[in-house]
């Protein structure tokens, strides 16, 4: 880990960030980019460290993107802590932080949207209509602003990484996508900025999500081929936590996210659960033995 405590340069405008990055690019330096919504935790920092190890310059964006939240969602209360985030990024030796405001990203008259069909439609796409349109639009904007060589995403948002992969391919963006493993708390809960919403009781109950994924893995490794049976057992574990509400428990093809009929090869188990009104997602790749 870097003990370099030089604070990253903070940029609020597209113009100032581009001016900063121009000499790096002119000198053939590799630029790594980690897009975030702030409230940084070890999951984000694992992406930052990968970028620092593999590139000459690392840019982190901190922007809570309004267009990926539905009116009923938690945009207003989403955790924001720019000072704390900058402190963490200083320790990692990040070169630049881009923290625009909404008018910088969506100036008056903004009216262009990026929609990725197919992989954006099931799971999160069904539960959060319009979510991936907002994600895809802001990601393309950020890619155009930063113009990185490599970008880093976490596997916790598995479907999001498929959407980003698709748009990079379809729009011929000269960017390498790196998806890094989910970082977990000691009890298995996937690290998420939204975990901060949970009361101690709900935080304790949230461990059923990881337990359900571990059970799915055990069942599949023991030879269970029926997605319906695995899902039934997973739901049982999740609903053992009082007040837990399931948005979905799905076993899907890792490339297309289509439901699988029989578990024959690598299969993604994806889960979205609400506890005390807080929505948590997680996933695990299930691999049958042999």
């Amino acid at each position: 880990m870097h003990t370099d405590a030089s604070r990253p340069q903070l940029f609020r405008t597209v113009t100032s960030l581009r001016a900063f990055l121009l000499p790096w690019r002119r000198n053939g330096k590799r630029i790594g980019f980690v897009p975030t919504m702030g409230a940084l935790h070890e999951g984000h920092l694992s992406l930052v460290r990968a970028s620092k190890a593999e590139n000459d310059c690392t840019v982190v964006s901190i922007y809570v993107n309004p267009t990926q939240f539905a009116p009923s969602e938690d945009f207003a209360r989403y955790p924001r802590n720019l000072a704390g985030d900058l402190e963490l990024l200083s320790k990692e030796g990040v070169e630049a932080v881009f923290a625009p405001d909404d008018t910088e990203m969506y100036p008056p008259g903004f009216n262009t949207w990026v929609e990725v069909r197919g992989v954006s439609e099931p799971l999160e796409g069904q539960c959060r209509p319009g979510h991936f349109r907002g994600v895809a639009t802001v990601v393309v904007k950020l890619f155009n602003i930063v113009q990185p060589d490599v970008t880093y995403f976490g596997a916790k948002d598995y479907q999001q990484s498929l959407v980003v992969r698709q748009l990079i391919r379809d729009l011929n963006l000269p960017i390498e996508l790196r998806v890094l493993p989910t970082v977990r708390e000691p009890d298995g809960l996937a690290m998420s900025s939204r975990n901060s919403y949970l009361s101690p009781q709900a935080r304790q109950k949230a461990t059923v999500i990881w337990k359900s994924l571990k059970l799915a893995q055990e069942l599949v490794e023991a030879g269970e081929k029926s997605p319906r049976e695995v899902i039934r057992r997973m739901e049982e574990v999740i609903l053992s936590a009082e007040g837990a509400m399931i948005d979905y428990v799905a076993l899907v093809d890792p490339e297309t996210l289509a439901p699988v009929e029989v578990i024959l090869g690598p299969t993604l188990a994806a889960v979205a659960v609400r506890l005390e009104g807080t929505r948590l997602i997680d996933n695990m790749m299930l691999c049958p033995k042999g």
Side-chain angles (χ1 to χ4, degrees), residues 167-193:
L167 73 81
I168 285 175
R169 188 170 43 198
D170 290 353
L171 300 180
N172 304 104
L173 302 179
I175 298 170
E176 181 193 339
L177 170 65
R178 301 261 281 113
V179 180
L180 273 63
T182 303
V183 177
R184 299 183 178 279
E185 302 284 358
D187 61 8
L189 183 68
M191 289 202 175
S192 164
S193 303

Side-chain angles (χ1 to χ4, degrees), residues 17-96:
L17 177 66
R18 282 189 167 154
F20 170 79
L21 289 172
L22 194 60
W24 292 89
R25 197 168 286 112
R26 280 212 176 117
N27 292 321
K29 302 293 188 192
R30 271 171 68 87
I31 296 169
F33 176 46
V34 182
T36 82
M37 294 209 302
L40 302 182
H41 51 67
E42 272 300 312
H44 299 112
L45 297 179
S46 70
L47 306 180
V48 169
R49 287 171 200 138
S51 177
K52 283 293 296 178
E54 296 169 6
N55 301 284
D56 302 301
C57 175
T58 291
V59 181
V60 175
S61 65
I62 295 177
Y63 180 58
V64 184
N65 173 37
T67 67
Q68 68 192 66
F69 290 80
S72 60
E73 290 182 340
D74 57 342
F75 175 69
R77 73 168 184 143
Y78 195 86
R80 293 163 171 85
N81 179 12
L82 185 59
D85 292 343
L86 289 172
E87 205 54 49
L88 290 171
L89 295 174
S90 294
K91 296 192 181 107
E92 303 299 336
V94 165
E95 280 73 22

Side-chain angles (χ1 to χ4, degrees), residues 8 15 25 30 44 46 80 85 93 96 104 108 110 119 121 153 167-168 187 194 203-204 227 233 260 263 272-273 276:
T15 313
R25 197 168 286 112
R30 271 171 68 87
H44 299 112
S46 70
R80 293 163 171 85
D85 292 343
E104 185 67 13
F110 182 89
V119 289
E121 288 162 19
F153 283 76
L167 73 81
I168 285 175
D187 61 8
R194 287 188 168 98
R203 171 65 188 78
Q204 185 49 49
R233 297 281 302 276
V260 295
I263 303 164
V273 174
E276 288 181 349

Side-chain angles (χ1 to χ4, degrees), residues 178-227:
R178 301 261 281 113
V179 180
L180 273 63
T182 303
V183 177
R184 299 183 178 279
E185 302 284 358
D187 61 8
L189 183 68
M191 289 202 175
S192 164
S193 303
R194 287 188 168 98
N195 292 350
S196 65
Y197 297 156
L198 299 171
S199 70
Q201 294 82 347
R203 171 65 188 78
Q204 185 49 49
K205 290 175 182 173
T207 58
V208 295
I209 298 171
W210 175 239
K211 287 175 184 152
S212 76
L213 291 167
K214 294 285 282 180
L215 174 64
Q217 185 181 44
E218 286 158 19
L219 290 169
V220 168
E221 284 182 354
E224 181 59 68
K225 298 263 188 289
S226 162

Side-chain angles (χ1 to χ4, degrees), residues 98-215:
F98 180 51
D101 65 15
D102 291 342
T103 52
E104 185 67 13
M105 292 301 282
Y106 299 102
F110 182 89
N111 209 7
T112 301
W113 300 96
V114 179
E115 287 202 62
V116 176
R117 295 282 163 82
V119 289
S120 72
E121 288 162 19
L123 307 178
E124 292 297 287
Q126 257 175 344
C127 295
R128 304 180 69 189
H131 168 68
F132 282 124
R133 183 181 88 147
V135 169
T137 301
V138 83
V139 163
V140 169
K141 284 178 67 69
L142 289 167
F143 285 170
N144 283 330
I145 292 162
V146 178
Q147 296 178 16
D149 296 283
V150 196
T151 187
Y152 298 81
F153 283 76
K156 181 180 76 80
D157 297 291
Y158 184 92
Q159 185 172 9
Q160 173 177 271
S161 69
L162 288 189
V163 168
V164 173
R165 184 178 76 176
Q166 184 84 35
L167 73 81
I168 285 175
R169 188 170 43 198
D170 290 353
L171 300 180
N172 304 104
L173 302 179
I175 298 170
E176 181 193 339
L177 170 65
R178 301 261 281 113
V179 180
L180 273 63
T182 303
V183 177
R184 299 183 178 279
E185 302 284 358
D187 61 8
L189 183 68
M191 289 202 175
S192 164
S193 303
R194 287 188 168 98
N195 292 350
S196 65
Y197 297 156
L198 299 171
S199 70
Q201 294 82 347
R203 171 65 188 78
Q204 185 49 49
K205 290 175 182 173
T207 58
V208 295
I209 298 171
W210 175 239
K211 287 175 184 152
S212 76
L213 291 167
K214 294 285 282 180
L215 174 64

